[in-house]
């Protein structure tokens, strides 16, 4: 079960778990040009303790993994040490610093690979439900931090350290008539990415939401075939890239696969 991946150098690194392999692990696959290697090497974190690995980041020559038991750091020889704590949801690197998020909404900022004495600590409110996907993103141009909290929406930590816990509130929407369930369901902030002008939020069954930098909704796009019964078609993750000078959002939409969007301004 692979939960998150990054490319670092000539290798792909995976965070995940397997009931019959190595429990929670850091996986590594060598890249041969544009092709994946044939072998996935798994480095177990602790196969005697039930846990899962949610996210991985490359930081200061090591690989930091957020697990349900805290954080784990692997060196270049793949020996590792654990930092226990609340469930680690997300780890990202920006501006030569490591940013971590746990299930209780604690955001720590580190400038050392020993992960001791964070230079900044914030609390943005808990992630709910506790098993929800949740990531954070950093605007490298100014140091602003955006944090997904599941049904609790998105929080913003300004470059001056001001915390706005309700930067974006997930909407409640009616379930499609084709599903067996009735009533309404609340969107969940699963993923977030920072673009040049906009913030992109993968908001579960509500789809992709585009915000301006002040938190106002610019537009949103729902998956064509969201099913509330099994959560298929949910917007789970989003990334932003510039292609031929234009900004595109790439959204992991579950069983609706990967969809690509570009914001265009139209006349009313």
């Amino acid at each position: 079960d692979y939960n998150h991946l990054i490319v670092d150098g000539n290798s792909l690194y995976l965070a995940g778990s397997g009931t019959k392999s190595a429990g929670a692990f850091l996986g590594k696959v060598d890249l041969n040009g544009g092709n994946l290697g044939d072998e996935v090497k798994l480095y177990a974190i602790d196969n005697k303790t039930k846990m899962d690995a949610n996210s991985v980041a490359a930081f200061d020559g090591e690989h930091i993994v957020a697990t349900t038991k805290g954080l784990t750091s692997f060196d270049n020889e793949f020996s590792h040490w654990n930092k226990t704590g609340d469930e680690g949801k997300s780890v990202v690197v920006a501006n030569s610093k490591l940013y971590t998020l746990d299930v209780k909404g604690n955001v720590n900022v580190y400038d050392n690979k020993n992960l001791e004495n964070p230079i900044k600590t914030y609390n943005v409110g808990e992630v709910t439900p506790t098993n929800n996907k949740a990531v954070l993103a950093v605007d490298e141009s100014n140091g602003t931090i955006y944090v997904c909290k599941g049904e609790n929406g998105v929080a913003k930590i300004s470059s001056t350290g001001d915390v706005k816990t309700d930067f974006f509130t997930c909407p409640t929407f009616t379930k499609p008539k084709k599903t067996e369930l009735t009533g309404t369901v609340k969107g969940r902030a699963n993923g977030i990415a920072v673009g040049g002008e906009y913030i992109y939020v993968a908001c579960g069954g509500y789809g992709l939401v585009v915000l301006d930098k002040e938190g106002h909704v610019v537009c949103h796009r729902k998956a064509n075939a969201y099913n509330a019964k099994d959560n298929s078609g949910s917007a789970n993750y989003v990334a932003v890239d510039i292609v031929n000078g234009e900004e595109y959002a790439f959204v992991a939409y579950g069983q609706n696969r990967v969809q690509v969007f570009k914001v265009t301004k139209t006349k009313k």
Side-chain angles (χ1 to χ4, degrees):
D1 182 13
Y2 301 133
N3 294 321
H4 185 236
L5 60 83
I6 60 169
V7 174
D8 184 33
N10 294 317
S11 298
L12 183 74
Y13 292 86
L14 306 148
S17 64
T19 56
K20 296 182 180 180
S21 54
F25 59 76
L26 173 67
K28 180 184 178 184
V29 183
D30 291 331
L31 299 175
N32 302 315
N35 300 315
L36 287 174
D38 297 327
E39 182 182 5
V40 181
K41 298 178 181 178
L42 302 182
Y43 300 92
I45 294 173
D46 182 357
N47 53 21
K48 295 181 180 180
T49 303
K50 185 177 180 180
M51 70 172 78
D52 198 3
N54 294 321
S55 180
V56 58
F59 180 61
D60 200 11
E62 300 193 359
H63 291 89
I64 313 298
V65 182
T67 79
T68 50
K69 297 295 182 180
L71 300 172
T72 296
S73 179
F74 286 85
D75 63 20
N76 289 329
E77 302 300 320
F78 290 95
S79 60
H80 70 275
W81 56 267
N82 299 325
K83 179 181 176 68
T84 58
D86 294 309
E87 176 180 348
K89 285 295 187 182
S90 181
V91 286
V92 300
V93 173
N95 297 328
S96 301
K97 297 180 179 63
L98 179 74
Y99 298 76
T100 70
L101 168 67
D102 68 26
V103 69
K104 292 186 176 179
N106 296 308
V107 176
N108 289 313
V109 185
Y110 297 94
D111 63 357
N112 65 87
K113 62 184 178 183
N114 295 323
L115 306 187
E116 297 178 350
N117 303 319
I119 58 175
K120 297 287 184 181
T121 298
Y122 310 94
N123 185 275
V124 298
E126 295 184 348
V127 175
T128 186
T130 57
N131 64 349
N132 194 76
K133 306 173 185 67
V135 305
L136 52 79
V138 180
D139 187 339
E140 295 196 66
S141 67
N142 56 28
T144 301
I145 308 167
Y146 299 91
V147 186
C148 291
K149 302 185 294 177
E151 290 183 357
N152 285 340
V154 176
K156 174 183 176 180
I157 305 170
S158 71
S159 57
T160 58
D162 296 324
V163 177
K164 184 175 178 59
T165 59
D166 58 349
F167 177 72
F168 171 69
T169 300
C170 293
T172 298
F173 61 99
T174 302
K175 297 170 184 175
K177 293 181 180 180
K178 292 182 180 180
T179 65
E180 297 178 10
L181 305 178
T182 59
T184 59
V185 63
K186 190 170 186 179
R188 295 179 179 179
N190 297 321
I192 192 164
V194 181
E197 186 176 354
Y198 303 114
I199 307 295
Y200 302 84
V201 182
C203 196
Y206 190 68
L208 175 68
V209 180
V210 181
L211 310 174
D212 63 21
K213 295 296 180 73
E214 301 301 318
H216 304 118
V217 175
V218 175
C219 58
H220 111 275
R221 181 67 179 267
K222 189 174 175 298
N224 293 329
Y226 172 66
N227 189 326
K229 184 177 181 180
D230 59 10
N231 207 35
S232 61
S234 172
N236 296 321
Y237 191 81
V238 58
V240 173
D241 199 8
I242 304 297
V243 180
N244 296 327
E246 295 188 295
E247 185 171 277
Y248 290 83
F250 300 79
V251 185
Y253 254 117
Q255 293 183 16
N256 278 256
R257 304 179 181 178
V258 174
Q259 299 186 22
V260 185
F261 299 93
K262 182 180 72 170
V263 177
T264 58
K265 297 181 180 179
T266 57
K267 295 180 180 180
K268 293 184 179 181

